[in-house]
Amino acid sequence: MTGVELAIHGGKPVRDTYLPYGKQTIDEEDIQTVINVLESDYLTTGPSIKSFEDKIAQYVEAKYAVAFSNGTAALHAACFAAGINRGDEVITTPITFVATANCVLYQGGKPVFADIDQNTYNINPLCIEKLITKNTKAIIPVDFTGQPVDLDKILDIAKRHNLIVIEDAAHSFGAEYKGKKIGALSDMTMFSFHPVKHITTGEGGIITTNNEKYYQRLIQFRSHGITKNPMHMTTSDEPWYYEMQFLGYNYRMTDIQAALGLSQLNKTGYFLARRRQLAKMYDETFKNISEVVTPYQLPECHSSWHLYILRLNLNKLRVGRKEIYQALLQENIGVNVHYIPVYYQPYYQELGYDKSFCPQAEKLYEEMITLPLFPGMNEKDVEDVVTAVQKVVKYYGK
Ligand SMILES: *Cc1c(COP(=O)(O)O)cnc(C)c1O
């Protein structure tokens, strides 16, 4: 929505131009780096891939990193590497993007949704434990909004029940859990490089791990299940020989993407600092407004602030989330909702998921709104969001 039509709740919109909820930051260095690859010998399967993987592994202090065409492909590969198969159950959160659960379905497994903690909005370890059966194979926790999940508890549950932990860290690149970077704490960790995420490659994803066996399987899965390593083949008499040993996919990242990622990586420190600064500015004003609840922060952790979510205090408002959402849109504030509980989706409903399985997640879903947050926002943008929220909650307040 653009233009200056009158907002239904009165007056001229706070902004003349639309402010999106997320956006990439691309500079001259990024552009030049991509051009250099276009002029080089390799557009794919070239040297930029390994450099990018090495740099990411180094950044998160993991032994290995395997890049993929997107984060969803990376999650699929991780499910394969973890050995998830027909009949296996995998516990995850309903407050996530559908990709988190879909990757389990790709492998013929069954996503099982555990409810969230009402303060952190992350998966609740107590709820995980209650859902474990003899078929449970893995847990896919999501560091929702960039705030790490309670890894000590989740890893302890996994250890006691012999489960694999695949951390969906699409939101938490650069986040820290008790002094350690997210990326080497779970068995495998996935990062996404979609344009709204912390750094972008256009489309892209990566798995980081300390496990050599997973590393080998991820590499092979990314390229049709093919190996050219004579050590791993059943025979190697012919010099042209390669071997397809299982059904893999073409999930490779291009060198064009990897080069952009390398250039973006140089700016991670700035991106993170800026996101934290902006979130703090939001926090400081919104904590004084009784109609909204600001995000709770886990002690000893540093969120990477992918999303800033306001929870509405519906007891203090005359209307529901939908009206507040629409009113903010009319102010040209690009609000969003992250996420519709996965099992509400028609596809999941057809699979037979109960629509009242996770009451905390469902309650949160009725009350949350994502506000714009990305490094390219300036102080005036933040002020506009704050002014619009103040105006709207005042208008609709009790
Ligand atoms: C972005 C995202 C993904 C998938 O990443 P793509 O790179 O878009 O495939 C998975 N999980 C979560 C929570 C995400 O936000």
Side-chain angles (χ1 to χ4, degrees), residues 50-212:
K50 188 74 170 70
S51 308
F52 183 52
E53 290 171 338
D54 289 348
K55 280 269 169 62
I56 295 276
Q58 195 182 25
Y59 181 73
V60 305
E61 294 164 25
K63 274 197 196 147
Y64 309 101
V66 183
F68 290 87
S69 45
N70 57 68
T72 306
L75 276 176
H76 182 192
C79 286
F80 170 83
I84 292 161
N85 259 313
R86 194 152 297 282
D88 290 337
E89 293 173 7
V90 177
I91 300 174
T92 190
T93 169
I95 300 295
T96 185
F97 185 50
V98 292
T100 316
N102 288 353
C103 68
V104 177
L105 295 178
Y106 297 158
Q107 282 303 109
K110 182 181 176 208
V112 174
F113 296 100
D115 209 351
I116 57 160
D117 178 283
Q118 59 174 333
N119 293 318
T120 64
Y121 311 159
N122 273 327
I123 196 166
N124 184 337
L126 294 171
C127 299
I128 295 178
E129 196 130 26
K130 283 186 196 137
L131 292 167
I132 293 173
T133 72
K134 63 180 194 329
N135 295 324
T136 309
K137 182 99 186 197
I139 307 170
I140 310 185
V142 178
D143 301 320
F144 181 56
T145 73
Q147 169 151 250
V149 286
D150 199 340
L151 278 168
D152 281 348
K153 287 194 189 135
I154 292 176
L155 293 172
D156 173 62
I157 292 170
K159 199 169 166 195
R160 281 189 281 110
H161 297 272
N162 200 20
L163 307 174
I164 296 165
V165 179
I166 302 168
E167 189 173 350
D168 180 336
H171 296 186
S172 56
F173 188 65
E176 282 168 39
Y177 181 80
K178 301 191 178 174
K180 291 197 192 110
K181 279 244 170 60
I182 292 297
L185 305 172
S186 300
D187 294 300
M188 285 177 268
T189 305
M190 184 280 290
F191 297 103
S192 163
F193 307 121
H194 180 278
V196 298
K197 307 285 161 67
H198 292 82
I199 61 168
T200 189
T201 60
E203 294 277 0
I206 210 162
I207 299 289
T208 55
T209 182
N210 283 334
N211 183 309
E212 213 236 322

Side-chain angles (χ1 to χ4, degrees), residues 180-351:
K180 291 197 192 110
K181 279 244 170 60
I182 292 297
L185 305 172
S186 300
D187 294 300
M188 285 177 268
T189 305
M190 184 280 290
F191 297 103
S192 163
F193 307 121
H194 180 278
V196 298
K197 307 285 161 67
H198 292 82
I199 61 168
T200 189
T201 60
E203 294 277 0
I206 210 162
I207 299 289
T208 55
T209 182
N210 283 334
N211 183 309
E212 213 236 322
K213 191 187 94 200
Y214 294 150
Y215 171 68
Q216 294 296 348
R217 284 169 72 79
L218 292 166
I219 291 271
Q220 209 168 332
F221 189 77
R222 174 174 74 175
S223 237
H224 310 278
I226 287 173
T227 181
K228 290 175 188 159
N229 185 341
M231 306 274 287
H232 298 155
M233 297 193 297
T234 52
T235 152
S236 62
D237 290 346
E238 296 92 0
W240 60 83
Y241 190 66
Y242 56 84
E243 204 162 74
M244 179 188 145
Q245 298 174 325
F246 54 79
L247 187 63
Y249 292 75
N250 179 352
Y251 275 168
R252 292 187 301 266
M253 179 181 266
T254 66
D255 279 58
I256 307 166
Q257 290 164 287
L260 177 56
L262 277 166
S263 173
Q264 286 264 299
L265 204 45
N266 293 334
K267 288 160 279 239
T268 308
Y270 165 73
F271 288 164
L272 280 169
R274 187 69 186 149
R275 283 178 179 276
R276 286 175 177 147
Q277 206 174 24
L278 296 170
K280 200 165 168 212
M281 288 166 74
Y282 276 156
D283 267 348
E284 272 160 20
T285 7
F286 293 140
K287 71 176 187 222
N288 300 317
I289 301 181
S290 63
E291 289 86 355
V292 298
V293 180
T294 52
Y296 169 90
Q297 292 303 295
L298 214 60
E300 296 180 82
C301 293
H302 292 286
S303 174
S304 56
W305 289 106
H306 167 53
L307 300 175
Y308 190 93
I309 290 184
L310 269 188
R311 186 165 192 166
L312 301 176
N313 187 349
L314 293 179
N315 294 328
K316 300 233 166 184
L317 292 162
R318 290 183 285 118
V319 294
R321 189 260 314 272
K322 188 165 152 197
E323 288 76 10
I324 303 289
Y325 182 99
Q326 273 168 340
L328 287 169
L329 258 192
Q330 285 184 335
E331 300 292 345
N332 274 319
I333 305 300
V335 283
N336 219 301
V337 172
H338 295 92
Y339 292 93
I340 303 163
V342 174
Y343 58 80
Y344 277 17
Q345 297 295 344
Y347 186 81
Y348 280 83
Q349 285 296 297
E350 269 172 45
L351 290 176

